Amino acid sequence: MKQFPVHAPSGRRPAFPRCCAALLSALACGAVPAEETLPPMLVTGEADASQAPWFDSDPDSPSTLYRVGREGIELFGGKGGSNPYSMVSRLPAVQMHSTDAWGLVNQQGGNKGLRVRGEMATHGANGTVEGMPLNGPGPGPGYLFLLDAENIAGVSLAQGPVAPDRFSLYDSAGQLDTRILWPRAEAGGVVSLGVGEEDFRRRFVRLDSGRLASDTALFVSASKTGADKWRSSGQSPKRRDTFALGLTQGLGPLDMKFFAAHNEMAADNYKGLTYEQSKDQSLYDEIDYDASPTGRSAAQLANWQGYNRQAFKTTAAFAEFDYALGADTHLVFKPFYSKEDGEYLYASGNVVRKWRIDQKTYGAIAELHTRLAGTGLTFGYGWVSSEPPAPATRWKDYTPNASGGLTFSRWSMLADVDHRHDLHNLFAVAERDFGALDVKAGVRYVRDVLPSIKYYDPAGVGDLS
């Protein structure tokens, strides 16, 4: 701010101090009015719904629990039409590292880009759907691209201490749960079209039957998504096709829900940077795989984009049976199943490695909810069984050639799974209100049985499938 000094004419005093002195004198000599007591004023009004936050927190939860509803999903999670990580990426203490602007890149390995309170989720796709872990710890995409954003009612993320009744495999980086937007009561449909830079294109359609006379409601949906890579050549994804079906049925005291989804995807990989390259931001959009086979050495040929890609098929289904045993008591049973089949193809030194992934995950959750003497009680048991990888069980190496072909070289890793990875979760939770005080306590017993894997010496083993 500029200051402008005031200069009085030579031989004269500034008028401003004389005015101030006169004003102070008048106030000192004048009569001071008597104090008046004003009646209390009450101002009422309603909050502007348009300014409501896109997420809320649960003050009754012992953990820091945030919920993101449809508004938040449309703002931050619907860019690529899937990936629950994108839907919580703007929450406090959350970082989501996405390779592209759409959240559509499946990063190879266990790190999918989610960090909560500084802790990186490194055991594959972290989270549950309707409280059920649809995938175990693994390097594949898991459930992350299985659900279209238009079929999601909301997501929640628990940070810090996680309540015993939130079942998951690993929750050191928070516990993420996705809720399905079940069939609507009114018949109708949704059509969504999306286009963007790098030839991003997405089409989605959903049809709802509405609530029928038999107390049945159904929806079906389908989507197609594709985009070019934002650097170098290739597409990520080349295609991502998803189909889903949801059903609800009421039968007196029994409420049933069923959901199934199938996803097929193929994509070109992004090339990672070395530590030294990561220090120079000018290289970020320059380094990637070659658009065509280049060079003469095997390592140079392996740098072709066609040798660095991925393809997966993922199928999942689950059900929920909720039976009312009384006014305050009901029993819930939730079985679930998923299958992931696919592979990564990537350069590894002088060879091109194929990492085959074929695994099934299944399990069930049973819960009893009741009230006793004004206290809410929940008793439950959850079990999930997953099949490796992780760790890896099948690596096959190939020698690249200048024509874009591959010649089998050897098995780098070959193993059988003797025993699957099983996790058992037994818990009890009690909750009661004491006026303004809400008390919630719980106990959990976890038994984690790690997988048993038999590794073979692959020397001399041929090109077997």
PDB file of all heavy atoms in Angstrom, residues 95-132:
ATOM      1  N   GLN A  95      -4.028 -39.573  -0.345  1.00  0.00           N
ATOM      2  CA  GLN A  95      -3.371 -39.282  -1.611  1.00  0.00           C
ATOM      3  C   GLN A  95      -3.626 -40.440  -2.563  1.00  0.00           C
ATOM      4  O   GLN A  95      -3.470 -41.598  -2.195  1.00  0.00           O
ATOM      5  CB  GLN A  95      -1.866 -39.090  -1.436  1.00  0.00           C
ATOM      6  CG  GLN A  95      -1.462 -37.782  -0.790  1.00  0.00           C
ATOM      7  CD  GLN A  95       0.051 -37.658  -0.700  1.00  0.00           C
ATOM      8  OE1 GLN A  95       0.724 -38.546  -0.203  1.00  0.00           O
ATOM      9  NE2 GLN A  95       0.580 -36.554  -1.202  1.00  0.00           N
ATOM     10  N   MET A  96      -4.054 -40.105  -3.777  1.00  0.00           N
ATOM     11  CA  MET A  96      -4.268 -41.119  -4.801  1.00  0.00           C
ATOM     12  C   MET A  96      -3.359 -40.775  -5.974  1.00  0.00           C
ATOM     13  O   MET A  96      -3.525 -39.757  -6.620  1.00  0.00           O
ATOM     14  CB  MET A  96      -5.728 -41.159  -5.227  1.00  0.00           C
ATOM     15  CG  MET A  96      -6.070 -42.330  -6.132  1.00  0.00           C
ATOM     16  SD  MET A  96      -6.050 -41.865  -7.850  1.00  0.00           S
ATOM     17  CE  MET A  96      -6.721 -43.327  -8.611  1.00  0.00           C
ATOM     18  N   HIS A  97      -2.346 -41.610  -6.201  1.00  0.00           N
ATOM     19  CA  HIS A  97      -1.368 -41.362  -7.262  1.00  0.00           C
ATOM     20  C   HIS A  97      -1.831 -42.089  -8.521  1.00  0.00           C
ATOM     21  O   HIS A  97      -1.687 -43.305  -8.629  1.00  0.00           O
ATOM     22  CB  HIS A  97       0.016 -41.854  -6.833  1.00  0.00           C
ATOM     23  CG  HIS A  97       0.494 -41.278  -5.543  1.00  0.00           C
ATOM     24  ND1 HIS A  97       1.098 -40.050  -5.445  1.00  0.00           N
ATOM     25  CD2 HIS A  97       0.425 -41.755  -4.274  1.00  0.00           C
ATOM     26  CE1 HIS A  97       1.399 -39.800  -4.187  1.00  0.00           C
ATOM     27  NE2 HIS A  97       0.999 -40.816  -3.451  1.00  0.00           N
ATOM     28  N   SER A  98      -2.384 -41.328  -9.450  1.00  0.00           N
ATOM     29  CA  SER A  98      -2.875 -41.910 -10.690  1.00  0.00           C
ATOM     30  C   SER A  98      -1.940 -41.560 -11.835  1.00  0.00           C
ATOM     31  O   SER A  98      -1.485 -40.419 -11.953  1.00  0.00           O
ATOM     32  CB  SER A  98      -4.286 -41.392 -11.000  1.00  0.00           C
ATOM     33  OG  SER A  98      -4.749 -41.904 -12.231  1.00  0.00           O
ATOM     34  N   THR A  99      -1.661 -42.545 -12.681  1.00  0.00           N
ATOM     35  CA  THR A  99      -0.770 -42.313 -13.808  1.00  0.00           C
ATOM     36  C   THR A  99      -1.425 -41.443 -14.870  1.00  0.00           C
ATOM     37  O   THR A  99      -0.737 -40.711 -15.588  1.00  0.00           O
ATOM     38  CB  THR A  99      -0.340 -43.654 -14.427  1.00  0.00           C
ATOM     39  OG1 THR A  99       0.202 -44.483 -13.389  1.00  0.00           O
ATOM     40  CG2 THR A  99       0.706 -43.463 -15.506  1.00  0.00           C
ATOM     41  N   ASP A 100      -2.753 -41.501 -14.988  1.00  0.00           N
ATOM     42  CA  ASP A 100      -3.463 -40.699 -15.980  1.00  0.00           C
ATOM     43  C   ASP A 100      -4.492 -39.811 -15.297  1.00  0.00           C
ATOM     44  O   ASP A 100      -4.667 -39.845 -14.078  1.00  0.00           O
ATOM     45  CB  ASP A 100      -4.139 -41.590 -17.021  1.00  0.00           C
ATOM     46  CG  ASP A 100      -5.282 -42.402 -16.432  1.00  0.00           C
ATOM     47  OD1 ASP A 100      -5.391 -42.470 -15.186  1.00  0.00           O
ATOM     48  OD2 ASP A 100      -6.054 -42.981 -17.206  1.00  0.00           O
ATOM     49  N   ALA A 101      -5.177 -38.989 -16.106  1.00  0.00           N
ATOM     50  CA  ALA A 101      -6.168 -38.054 -15.555  1.00  0.00           C
ATOM     51  C   ALA A 101      -7.496 -38.718 -15.261  1.00  0.00           C
ATOM     52  O   ALA A 101      -8.344 -38.119 -14.592  1.00  0.00           O
ATOM     53  CB  ALA A 101      -6.380 -36.906 -16.546  1.00  0.00           C
ATOM     54  N   TRP A 102      -7.688 -39.943 -15.721  1.00  0.00           N
ATOM     55  CA  TRP A 102      -8.991 -40.589 -15.607  1.00  0.00           C
ATOM     56  C   TRP A 102      -9.055 -41.623 -14.487  1.00  0.00           C
ATOM     57  O   TRP A 102     -10.130 -42.135 -14.192  1.00  0.00           O
ATOM     58  CB  TRP A 102      -9.350 -41.265 -16.944  1.00  0.00           C
ATOM     59  CG  TRP A 102      -9.099 -40.409 -18.142  1.00  0.00           C
ATOM     60  CD1 TRP A 102      -8.109 -40.561 -19.071  1.00  0.00           C
ATOM     61  CD2 TRP A 102      -9.830 -39.245 -18.533  1.00  0.00           C
ATOM     62  NE1 TRP A 102      -8.187 -39.577 -20.015  1.00  0.00           N
ATOM     63  CE2 TRP A 102      -9.228 -38.749 -19.719  1.00  0.00           C
ATOM     64  CE3 TRP A 102     -10.937 -38.570 -18.014  1.00  0.00           C
ATOM     65  CZ2 TRP A 102      -9.691 -37.616 -20.379  1.00  0.00           C
ATOM     66  CZ3 TRP A 102     -11.399 -37.440 -18.669  1.00  0.00           C
ATOM     67  CH2 TRP A 102     -10.784 -36.972 -19.834  1.00  0.00           C
ATOM     68  N   GLY A 103      -7.916 -41.990 -13.910  1.00  0.00           N
ATOM     69  CA  GLY A 103      -7.907 -43.044 -12.900  1.00  0.00           C
ATOM     70  C   GLY A 103      -8.160 -44.410 -13.492  1.00  0.00           C
ATOM     71  O   GLY A 103      -8.689 -45.301 -12.827  1.00  0.00           O
ATOM     72  N   LEU A 104      -7.772 -44.607 -14.759  1.00  0.00           N
ATOM     73  CA  LEU A 104      -8.063 -45.847 -15.462  1.00  0.00           C
ATOM     74  C   LEU A 104      -6.866 -46.785 -15.563  1.00  0.00           C
ATOM     75  O   LEU A 104      -6.991 -47.889 -16.089  1.00  0.00           O
ATOM     76  CB  LEU A 104      -8.557 -45.535 -16.885  1.00  0.00           C
ATOM     77  CG  LEU A 104      -9.934 -44.886 -16.987  1.00  0.00           C
ATOM     78  CD1 LEU A 104     -10.218 -44.484 -18.431  1.00  0.00           C
ATOM     79  CD2 LEU A 104     -11.010 -45.826 -16.478  1.00  0.00           C
ATOM     80  N   VAL A 105      -5.699 -46.358 -15.100  1.00  0.00           N
ATOM     81  CA  VAL A 105      -4.493 -47.168 -15.263  1.00  0.00           C
ATOM     82  C   VAL A 105      -4.389 -48.183 -14.129  1.00  0.00           C
ATOM     83  O   VAL A 105      -4.406 -47.814 -12.945  1.00  0.00           O
ATOM     84  CB  VAL A 105      -3.240 -46.280 -15.300  1.00  0.00           C
ATOM     85  CG1 VAL A 105      -1.978 -47.136 -15.360  1.00  0.00           C
ATOM     86  CG2 VAL A 105      -3.296 -45.333 -16.496  1.00  0.00           C
ATOM     87  N   ASN A 106      -4.272 -49.460 -14.506  1.00  0.00           N
ATOM     88  CA  ASN A 106      -3.996 -50.503 -13.530  1.00  0.00           C
ATOM     89  C   ASN A 106      -2.495 -50.657 -13.400  1.00  0.00           C
ATOM     90  O   ASN A 106      -1.819 -51.125 -14.325  1.00  0.00           O
ATOM     91  CB  ASN A 106      -4.626 -51.825 -13.965  1.00  0.00           C
ATOM     92  CG  ASN A 106      -4.175 -52.979 -13.092  1.00  0.00           C
ATOM     93  OD1 ASN A 106      -4.161 -52.871 -11.862  1.00  0.00           O
ATOM     94  ND2 ASN A 106      -3.760 -54.073 -13.720  1.00  0.00           N
ATOM     95  N   GLN A 107      -1.954 -50.230 -12.274  1.00  0.00           N
ATOM     96  CA  GLN A 107      -0.515 -50.331 -12.061  1.00  0.00           C
ATOM     97  C   GLN A 107      -0.142 -51.772 -11.718  1.00  0.00           C
ATOM     98  O   GLN A 107      -0.778 -52.405 -10.872  1.00  0.00           O
ATOM     99  CB  GLN A 107      -0.093 -49.386 -10.935  1.00  0.00           C
ATOM    100  CG  GLN A 107      -0.405 -47.924 -11.215  1.00  0.00           C
ATOM    101  CD  GLN A 107       0.044 -47.011 -10.095  1.00  0.00           C
ATOM    102  OE1 GLN A 107       1.050 -47.261  -9.443  1.00  0.00           O
ATOM    103  NE2 GLN A 107      -0.703 -45.939  -9.854  1.00  0.00           N
ATOM    104  N   GLN A 108       0.883 -52.272 -12.387  1.00  0.00           N
ATOM    105  CA  GLN A 108       1.308 -53.651 -12.185  1.00  0.00           C
ATOM    106  C   GLN A 108       1.859 -53.844 -10.781  1.00  0.00           C
ATOM    107  O   GLN A 108       2.633 -53.040 -10.280  1.00  0.00           O
ATOM    108  CB  GLN A 108       2.381 -54.004 -13.217  1.00  0.00           C
ATOM    109  CG  GLN A 108       2.912 -55.416 -13.096  1.00  0.00           C
ATOM    110  CD  GLN A 108       3.873 -55.750 -14.222  1.00  0.00           C
ATOM    111  OE1 GLN A 108       3.674 -55.350 -15.347  1.00  0.00           O
ATOM    112  NE2 GLN A 108       4.926 -56.487 -13.899  1.00  0.00           N
ATOM    113  N   GLY A 109       1.431 -54.911 -10.124  1.00  0.00           N
ATOM    114  CA  GLY A 109       1.913 -55.212  -8.783  1.00  0.00           C
ATOM    115  C   GLY A 109       0.927 -54.820  -7.703  1.00  0.00           C
ATOM    116  O   GLY A 109      -0.228 -54.486  -7.964  1.00  0.00           O
ATOM    117  N   GLY A 110       1.393 -54.848  -6.466  1.00  0.00           N
ATOM    118  CA  GLY A 110       0.517 -54.618  -5.331  1.00  0.00           C
ATOM    119  C   GLY A 110       0.214 -53.168  -5.023  1.00  0.00           C
ATOM    120  O   GLY A 110      -0.757 -52.862  -4.336  1.00  0.00           O
ATOM    121  N   ASN A 111       1.037 -52.245  -5.490  1.00  0.00           N
ATOM    122  CA  ASN A 111       0.817 -50.826  -5.235  1.00  0.00           C
ATOM    123  C   ASN A 111      -0.081 -50.248  -6.311  1.00  0.00           C
ATOM    124  O   ASN A 111       0.327 -50.063  -7.461  1.00  0.00           O
ATOM    125  CB  ASN A 111       2.154 -50.089  -5.198  1.00  0.00           C
ATOM    126  CG  ASN A 111       1.997 -48.600  -4.962  1.00  0.00           C
ATOM    127  OD1 ASN A 111       0.908 -48.109  -4.699  1.00  0.00           O
ATOM    128  ND2 ASN A 111       3.094 -47.867  -5.071  1.00  0.00           N
ATOM    129  N   LYS A 112      -1.324 -49.921  -5.955  1.00  0.00           N
ATOM    130  CA  LYS A 112      -2.286 -49.378  -6.905  1.00  0.00           C
ATOM    131  C   LYS A 112      -2.456 -47.863  -6.780  1.00  0.00           C
ATOM    132  O   LYS A 112      -3.319 -47.288  -7.443  1.00  0.00           O
ATOM    133  CB  LYS A 112      -3.647 -50.060  -6.727  1.00  0.00           C
ATOM    134  CG  LYS A 112      -3.614 -51.567  -6.878  1.00  0.00           C
ATOM    135  CD  LYS A 112      -3.137 -51.997  -8.252  1.00  0.00           C
ATOM    136  CE  LYS A 112      -3.124 -53.509  -8.392  1.00  0.00           C
ATOM    137  NZ  LYS A 112      -2.600 -53.957  -9.690  1.00  0.00           N
ATOM    138  N   GLY A 113      -1.641 -47.224  -5.924  1.00  0.00           N
ATOM    139  CA  GLY A 113      -1.630 -45.769  -5.897  1.00  0.00           C
ATOM    140  C   GLY A 113      -2.344 -45.109  -4.736  1.00  0.00           C
ATOM    141  O   GLY A 113      -2.501 -43.884  -4.746  1.00  0.00           O
ATOM    142  N   LEU A 114      -2.795 -45.868  -3.720  1.00  0.00           N
ATOM    143  CA  LEU A 114      -3.518 -45.275  -2.599  1.00  0.00           C
ATOM    144  C   LEU A 114      -2.607 -45.131  -1.386  1.00  0.00           C
ATOM    145  O   LEU A 114      -1.933 -46.096  -0.990  1.00  0.00           O
ATOM    146  CB  LEU A 114      -4.731 -46.136  -2.228  1.00  0.00           C
ATOM    147  CG  LEU A 114      -5.593 -45.610  -1.078  1.00  0.00           C
ATOM    148  CD1 LEU A 114      -6.293 -44.309  -1.470  1.00  0.00           C
ATOM    149  CD2 LEU A 114      -6.623 -46.660  -0.659  1.00  0.00           C
ATOM    150  N   ARG A 115      -2.602 -43.941  -0.803  1.00  0.00           N
ATOM    151  CA  ARG A 115      -1.844 -43.675   0.416  1.00  0.00           C
ATOM    152  C   ARG A 115      -2.768 -42.956   1.403  1.00  0.00           C
ATOM    153  O   ARG A 115      -3.397 -41.952   1.058  1.00  0.00           O
ATOM    154  CB  ARG A 115      -0.620 -42.807   0.127  1.00  0.00           C
ATOM    155  CG  ARG A 115       0.295 -42.593   1.328  1.00  0.00           C
ATOM    156  CD  ARG A 115       1.389 -41.580   1.007  1.00  0.00           C
ATOM    157  NE  ARG A 115       2.295 -42.058  -0.022  1.00  0.00           N
ATOM    158  CZ  ARG A 115       3.390 -42.760   0.210  1.00  0.00           C
ATOM    159  NH1 ARG A 115       3.722 -43.072   1.466  1.00  0.00           N
ATOM    160  NH2 ARG A 115       4.164 -43.135  -0.778  1.00  0.00           N
ATOM    161  N   VAL A 116      -2.848 -43.478   2.628  1.00  0.00           N
ATOM    162  CA  VAL A 116      -3.712 -42.907   3.665  1.00  0.00           C
ATOM    163  C   VAL A 116      -2.869 -42.651   4.908  1.00  0.00           C
ATOM    164  O   VAL A 116      -2.214 -43.563   5.424  1.00  0.00           O
ATOM    165  CB  VAL A 116      -4.888 -43.849   4.007  1.00  0.00           C
ATOM    166  CG1 VAL A 116      -5.755 -43.245   5.103  1.00  0.00           C
ATOM    167  CG2 VAL A 116      -5.712 -44.125   2.764  1.00  0.00           C
ATOM    168  N   ARG A 117      -2.864 -41.389   5.365  1.00  0.00           N
ATOM    169  CA  ARG A 117      -2.071 -40.990   6.531  1.00  0.00           C
ATOM    170  C   ARG A 117      -0.604 -41.401   6.377  1.00  0.00           C
ATOM    171  O   ARG A 117       0.042 -41.849   7.328  1.00  0.00           O
ATOM    172  CB  ARG A 117      -2.658 -41.571   7.817  1.00  0.00           C
ATOM    173  CG  ARG A 117      -4.010 -40.999   8.198  1.00  0.00           C
ATOM    174  CD  ARG A 117      -4.466 -41.482   9.570  1.00  0.00           C
ATOM    175  NE  ARG A 117      -5.713 -40.860   9.969  1.00  0.00           N
ATOM    176  CZ  ARG A 117      -6.312 -41.063  11.142  1.00  0.00           C
ATOM    177  NH1 ARG A 117      -5.753 -41.893  12.013  1.00  0.00           N
ATOM    178  NH2 ARG A 117      -7.437 -40.461  11.452  1.00  0.00           N
ATOM    179  N   GLY A 118      -0.097 -41.280   5.165  1.00  0.00           N
ATOM    180  CA  GLY A 118       1.288 -41.611   4.885  1.00  0.00           C
ATOM    181  C   GLY A 118       1.566 -43.080   4.664  1.00  0.00           C
ATOM    182  O   GLY A 118       2.674 -43.453   4.279  1.00  0.00           O
ATOM    183  N   GLU A 119       0.570 -43.935   4.885  1.00  0.00           N
ATOM    184  CA  GLU A 119       0.748 -45.379   4.734  1.00  0.00           C
ATOM    185  C   GLU A 119       0.277 -45.809   3.353  1.00  0.00           C
ATOM    186  O   GLU A 119      -0.858 -45.548   2.954  1.00  0.00           O
ATOM    187  CB  GLU A 119      -0.047 -46.126   5.808  1.00  0.00           C
ATOM    188  CG  GLU A 119       0.120 -47.625   5.786  1.00  0.00           C
ATOM    189  CD  GLU A 119       1.455 -48.094   6.335  1.00  0.00           C
ATOM    190  OE1 GLU A 119       2.088 -47.313   7.080  1.00  0.00           O
ATOM    191  OE2 GLU A 119       1.861 -49.230   6.026  1.00  0.00           O
ATOM    192  N   MET A 120       1.157 -46.477   2.608  1.00  0.00           N
ATOM    193  CA  MET A 120       0.827 -46.927   1.261  1.00  0.00           C
ATOM    194  C   MET A 120       0.147 -48.288   1.296  1.00  0.00           C
ATOM    195  O   MET A 120       0.612 -49.203   1.982  1.00  0.00           O
ATOM    196  CB  MET A 120       2.091 -47.007   0.413  1.00  0.00           C
ATOM    197  CG  MET A 120       1.861 -47.454  -1.022  1.00  0.00           C
ATOM    198  SD  MET A 120       0.971 -46.225  -2.013  1.00  0.00           S
ATOM    199  CE  MET A 120       2.299 -45.021  -2.269  1.00  0.00           C
ATOM    200  N   ALA A 121      -0.956 -48.420   0.556  1.00  0.00           N
ATOM    201  CA  ALA A 121      -1.627 -49.716   0.416  1.00  0.00           C
ATOM    202  C   ALA A 121      -0.859 -50.544  -0.605  1.00  0.00           C
ATOM    203  O   ALA A 121      -0.845 -50.211  -1.793  1.00  0.00           O
ATOM    204  CB  ALA A 121      -3.069 -49.517  -0.026  1.00  0.00           C
ATOM    205  N   THR A 122      -0.197 -51.606  -0.167  1.00  0.00           N
ATOM    206  CA  THR A 122       0.711 -52.360  -1.020  1.00  0.00           C
ATOM    207  C   THR A 122       0.291 -53.811  -1.235  1.00  0.00           C
ATOM    208  O   THR A 122       1.076 -54.604  -1.752  1.00  0.00           O
ATOM    209  CB  THR A 122       2.132 -52.344  -0.422  1.00  0.00           C
ATOM    210  OG1 THR A 122       2.086 -52.902   0.899  1.00  0.00           O
ATOM    211  CG2 THR A 122       2.687 -50.933  -0.353  1.00  0.00           C
ATOM    212  N   HIS A 123      -0.918 -54.179  -0.854  1.00  0.00           N
ATOM    213  CA  HIS A 123      -1.353 -55.567  -0.977  1.00  0.00           C
ATOM    214  C   HIS A 123      -2.412 -55.731  -2.058  1.00  0.00           C
ATOM    215  O   HIS A 123      -3.334 -56.536  -1.934  1.00  0.00           O
ATOM    216  CB  HIS A 123      -1.884 -56.081   0.360  1.00  0.00           C
ATOM    217  CG  HIS A 123      -0.830 -56.214   1.413  1.00  0.00           C
ATOM    218  ND1 HIS A 123      -0.581 -55.226   2.329  1.00  0.00           N
ATOM    219  CD2 HIS A 123       0.060 -57.211   1.683  1.00  0.00           C
ATOM    220  CE1 HIS A 123       0.406 -55.599   3.131  1.00  0.00           C
ATOM    221  NE2 HIS A 123       0.808 -56.794   2.757  1.00  0.00           N
ATOM    222  N   GLY A 124      -2.304 -54.948  -3.127  1.00  0.00           N
ATOM    223  CA  GLY A 124      -3.276 -55.062  -4.202  1.00  0.00           C
ATOM    224  C   GLY A 124      -4.450 -54.130  -3.988  1.00  0.00           C
ATOM    225  O   GLY A 124      -4.369 -53.152  -3.237  1.00  0.00           O
ATOM    226  N   ALA A 125      -5.561 -54.421  -4.678  1.00  0.00           N
ATOM    227  CA  ALA A 125      -6.755 -53.575  -4.598  1.00  0.00           C
ATOM    228  C   ALA A 125      -7.315 -53.606  -3.184  1.00  0.00           C
ATOM    229  O   ALA A 125      -7.832 -54.628  -2.733  1.00  0.00           O
ATOM    230  CB  ALA A 125      -7.793 -54.048  -5.604  1.00  0.00           C
ATOM    231  N   ASN A 126      -7.213 -52.496  -2.487  1.00  0.00           N
ATOM    232  CA  ASN A 126      -7.614 -52.416  -1.083  1.00  0.00           C
ATOM    233  C   ASN A 126      -9.089 -52.038  -0.990  1.00  0.00           C
ATOM    234  O   ASN A 126      -9.508 -51.029  -1.542  1.00  0.00           O
ATOM    235  CB  ASN A 126      -6.767 -51.364  -0.362  1.00  0.00           C
ATOM    236  CG  ASN A 126      -7.135 -51.224   1.100  1.00  0.00           C
ATOM    237  OD1 ASN A 126      -7.342 -52.221   1.781  1.00  0.00           O
ATOM    238  ND2 ASN A 126      -7.246 -49.995   1.576  1.00  0.00           N
ATOM    239  N   GLY A 127      -9.880 -52.845  -0.270  1.00  0.00           N
ATOM    240  CA  GLY A 127     -11.271 -52.456  -0.064  1.00  0.00           C
ATOM    241  C   GLY A 127     -12.232 -53.613  -0.149  1.00  0.00           C
ATOM    242  O   GLY A 127     -11.865 -54.759  -0.464  1.00  0.00           O
ATOM    243  N   THR A 128     -13.498 -53.295   0.131  1.00  0.00           N
ATOM    244  CA  THR A 128     -14.581 -54.267   0.111  1.00  0.00           C
ATOM    245  C   THR A 128     -15.758 -53.690  -0.663  1.00  0.00           C
ATOM    246  O   THR A 128     -15.835 -52.487  -0.916  1.00  0.00           O
ATOM    247  CB  THR A 128     -15.033 -54.617   1.539  1.00  0.00           C
ATOM    248  OG1 THR A 128     -15.442 -53.392   2.216  1.00  0.00           O
ATOM    249  CG2 THR A 128     -13.922 -55.261   2.337  1.00  0.00           C
ATOM    250  N   VAL A 129     -16.690 -54.558  -1.033  1.00  0.00           N
ATOM    251  CA  VAL A 129     -17.949 -54.165  -1.670  1.00  0.00           C
ATOM    252  C   VAL A 129     -19.079 -54.701  -0.807  1.00  0.00           C
ATOM    253  O   VAL A 129     -19.159 -55.907  -0.577  1.00  0.00           O
ATOM    254  CB  VAL A 129     -18.055 -54.703  -3.105  1.00  0.00           C
ATOM    255  CG1 VAL A 129     -19.382 -54.288  -3.730  1.00  0.00           C
ATOM    256  CG2 VAL A 129     -16.885 -54.207  -3.952  1.00  0.00           C
ATOM    257  N   GLU A 130     -19.902 -53.793  -0.285  1.00  0.00           N
ATOM    258  CA  GLU A 130     -20.964 -54.176   0.644  1.00  0.00           C
ATOM    259  C   GLU A 130     -20.396 -54.967   1.818  1.00  0.00           C
ATOM    260  O   GLU A 130     -21.025 -55.893   2.331  1.00  0.00           O
ATOM    261  CB  GLU A 130     -22.055 -54.975  -0.072  1.00  0.00           C
ATOM    262  CG  GLU A 130     -22.839 -54.198  -1.113  1.00  0.00           C
ATOM    263  CD  GLU A 130     -23.827 -53.208  -0.507  1.00  0.00           C
ATOM    264  OE1 GLU A 130     -24.247 -53.420   0.657  1.00  0.00           O
ATOM    265  OE2 GLU A 130     -24.188 -52.228  -1.191  1.00  0.00           O
ATOM    266  N   GLY A 131     -19.177 -54.599   2.237  1.00  0.00           N
ATOM    267  CA  GLY A 131     -18.545 -55.245   3.378  1.00  0.00           C
ATOM    268  C   GLY A 131     -17.841 -56.548   3.069  1.00  0.00           C
ATOM    269  O   GLY A 131     -17.315 -57.185   3.987  1.00  0.00           O
ATOM    270  N   MET A 132     -17.777 -56.951   1.787  1.00  0.00           N
ATOM    271  CA  MET A 132     -17.182 -58.238   1.413  1.00  0.00           C
ATOM    272  C   MET A 132     -15.896 -58.017   0.616  1.00  0.00           C
ATOM    273  O   MET A 132     -15.901 -57.286  -0.377  1.00  0.00           O
ATOM    274  CB  MET A 132     -18.179 -59.044   0.567  1.00  0.00           C
ATOM    275  CG  MET A 132     -19.369 -59.552   1.351  1.00  0.00           C
ATOM    276  SD  MET A 132     -20.731 -60.144   0.304  1.00  0.00           S
ATOM    277  CE  MET A 132     -21.614 -58.601  -0.024  1.00  0.00           C
TER     278      MET A 132
END
